[in-house]
Amino acid sequence: MALTGDPPAAERDTPTDARAGFDWWGEAKGLFWLILAVLGFHSFVAKPFYIPSESMLPGLEVGDRLVVSKFAYGWSFVSPTIPNPVAIFDGMVLRRPVESWSIQPPAWHGRLWGRMPARGDVVIVTPPGQTSDYIKRVIGLPGDTLEVRGGRLILNGRYVARGPLHYRDLPVDANATCDPWQYPQARVTRADGSAVCRLPIVTETLPEGRRYDTVELGSSPGDYYGPIRIPADHVFLMGDNRDRSADSRFALGGSDKGLGGPVPWENIGGRAEFITFSVDGSATLNPMTWWGSLRSGRAGTSLDPEETR
């Protein structure tokens, strides 16, 4: 006779769920759907973007992280985010230089639910025949006649309005070194001992009244261009750091690393919306350094040009 409270013999001999094996298949399926959801969001809604160069100074600095909306102009062949396992392995494990960690689908003309960007928009562009992304500003639209003379932008026969020369101080850090070869005599030490890069700024106002700051460093190879007429379904892109930007004024690829003139609108990957956060390059593998590397005052900064009308 069993004592009161003892489980029946059949129940004592039944294996419990705790002894069951780990559900590898279920976990793999869950991870698969999570990855698919993330890639779908990056492909069709929005994706993060890292600023690797100074071509969009003073508004965008190396180390800025942005949100890029993928749906702003509809979708094209550059929209999907498809990981390239070989490139990821080369970059992360073998530490080889990799142009892109994703695979680009075959090119096709047009956009699904497409809409032409507006002058002044900051956009992500993949140069024709390449896989790396650039970030530039839309300056010219289809049908526009565009010319650059002495560094002055001319749209449809009229000089684009420019404000007076003034200066802006950007803090010097590991991501913004104020290289003396790039910015002669721009590095200044303040009274408190901090170093800044004092850049000459000119505010440019497009015909629609959208304005933004550009860096004016003097004579450079891009100061003379055109005139050209922008073809249908193409846009002309330029960096705000006009004398240090490889953009539509320069030959595609090669030593110029430009965009080769007006870019087909299919190559526009999305519109840059706002800065999520920015880092100064001082962080190490020690997590304790991550918080201190954040630049203050940049999170949430909108990338829409200021409207004067």
Side-chain angles (χ1 to χ4, degrees), residues 29-47 81 83:
K29 287 193 296 184
L31 182 60
F32 169 79
W33 287 113
L34 176 62
I35 293 173
L36 196 64
V38 171
L39 294 179
F41 188 86
H42 280 196
S43 297
F44 303 111
V45 182
K47 76 167 187 174
T81 300

Side-chain angles (χ1 to χ4, degrees), residues 163-188:
L165 181 70
H166 57 285
Y167 291 85
R168 182 186 297 185
D169 290 348
L170 299 181
V172 172
D173 55 40
N175 275 338
T177 60
C178 200
D179 181 0
W181 185 82
Q182 296 279 350
Y183 308 103
Q185 301 178 337
R187 185 165 178 144
V188 175

Side-chain angles (χ1 to χ4, degrees), residues 204-219:
E204 194 168 77
T205 305
L206 294 170
E208 297 82 359
R210 307 182 88 191
R211 67 184 183 187
Y212 45 85
D213 286 341
T214 66
V215 179
E216 178 55 71
L217 297 173
S219 179

Side-chain angles (χ1 to χ4, degrees), residues 19 27 54 84 92 103 105 114 117 126 129 170 179-180 193 197 204 223 234 241 261 268 284:
R19 298 177 194 156
E27 293 297 322
E54 297 179 339
N84 183 345
M92 296 189 67
I103 300 171
T126 305
L170 299 181
D179 181 0
C197 197
E204 194 168 77
D223 284 350
H234 285 64
N241 191 358
I268 302 297
T284 67

Side-chain angles (χ1 to χ4, degrees), residues 210-278:
R210 307 182 88 191
R211 67 184 183 187
Y212 45 85
D213 286 341
T214 66
V215 179
E216 178 55 71
L217 297 173
S219 179
S220 73
D223 284 350
Y224 292 88
Y225 179 88
I228 64 162
R229 186 174 178 83
I230 301 174
D233 296 333
H234 285 64
V235 292
F236 196 92
L237 306 176
M238 297 176 70
D240 292 347
N241 191 358
R242 290 291 166 79
D243 301 307
R244 299 292 183 266
S245 173
D247 48 43
S248 288
R249 294 171 292 171
F250 299 95
L252 180 65
S255 59
D256 287 340
K257 298 182 180 179
L259 298 175
V263 178
W265 75 324
E266 295 93 348
N267 292 74
I268 302 297
R271 182 177 64 204
E273 302 291 356
F274 60 90
I275 298 172
T276 53
F277 66 96
S278 183

Side-chain angles (χ1 to χ4, degrees), residues 30-295:
L31 182 60
F32 169 79
W33 287 113
L34 176 62
I35 293 173
L36 196 64
V38 171
L39 294 179
F41 188 86
H42 280 196
S43 297
F44 303 111
V45 182
K47 76 167 187 174
F49 187 82
Y50 169 74
I51 299 298
S53 75
E54 297 179 339
S55 70
M56 286 295 289
L57 285 176
L60 289 174
E61 302 178 36
V62 174
D64 286 348
R65 266 67 171 182
L66 321 177
V67 166
V68 174
S69 61
K70 301 299 273 305
F71 57 86
Y73 312 122
W75 296 274
S76 73
F77 72 95
V78 301
S79 298
T81 300
I82 306 173
N84 183 345
V86 175
I88 294 173
F89 181 82
D90 285 348
M92 296 189 67
V93 179
L94 302 181
R95 302 293 181 180
R96 294 173 179 169
V98 176
E99 183 180 353
S100 174
W101 285 8
S102 62
I103 300 171
Q104 191 177 98
W108 48 273
H109 293 294
R111 303 185 74 96
L112 182 63
W113 293 308
R115 182 173 68 87
M116 188 62 64
R119 287 197 199 97
D121 284 356
V122 177
V123 301
I124 305 302
V125 58
T126 305
Q130 301 184 28
T131 57
S132 59
D133 291 330
Y134 287 35
I135 183 165
K136 304 295 175 186
R137 191 179 297 277
V138 177
I139 298 298
L141 298 176
D144 284 345
T145 299
L146 184 143
E147 183 177 2
V148 182
R149 285 288 173 267
R152 293 286 305 275
L153 178 61
I154 304 171
L155 271 177
N156 299 317
R158 295 186 176 183
Y159 281 100
V160 169
R162 303 200 333 159
L165 181 70
H166 57 285
Y167 291 85
R168 182 186 297 185
D169 290 348
L170 299 181
V172 172
D173 55 40
N175 275 338
T177 60
C178 200
D179 181 0
W181 185 82
Q182 296 279 350
Y183 308 103
Q185 301 178 337
R187 185 165 178 144
V188 175
T189 301
R190 289 174 165 173
D192 61 2
S194 63
V196 295
C197 197
R198 184 158 293 168
L199 296 178
I201 304 296
V202 172
T203 302
E204 194 168 77
T205 305
L206 294 170
E208 297 82 359
R210 307 182 88 191
R211 67 184 183 187
Y212 45 85
D213 286 341
T214 66
V215 179
E216 178 55 71
L217 297 173
S219 179
S220 73
D223 284 350
Y224 292 88
Y225 179 88
I228 64 162
R229 186 174 178 83
I230 301 174
D233 296 333
H234 285 64
V235 292
F236 196 92
L237 306 176
M238 297 176 70
D240 292 347
N241 191 358
R242 290 291 166 79
D243 301 307
R244 299 292 183 266
S245 173
D247 48 43
S248 288
R249 294 171 292 171
F250 299 95
L252 180 65
S255 59
D256 287 340
K257 298 182 180 179
L259 298 175
V263 178
W265 75 324
E266 295 93 348
N267 292 74
I268 302 297
R271 182 177 64 204
E273 302 291 356
F274 60 90
I275 298 172
T276 53
F277 66 96
S278 183
V279 293
D280 62 14
S282 64
T284 67
L285 294 177
N286 181 359
M288 298 298 292
T289 66
W290 296 354
W291 184 259
S293 71
L294 293 175
R295 292 179 176 134

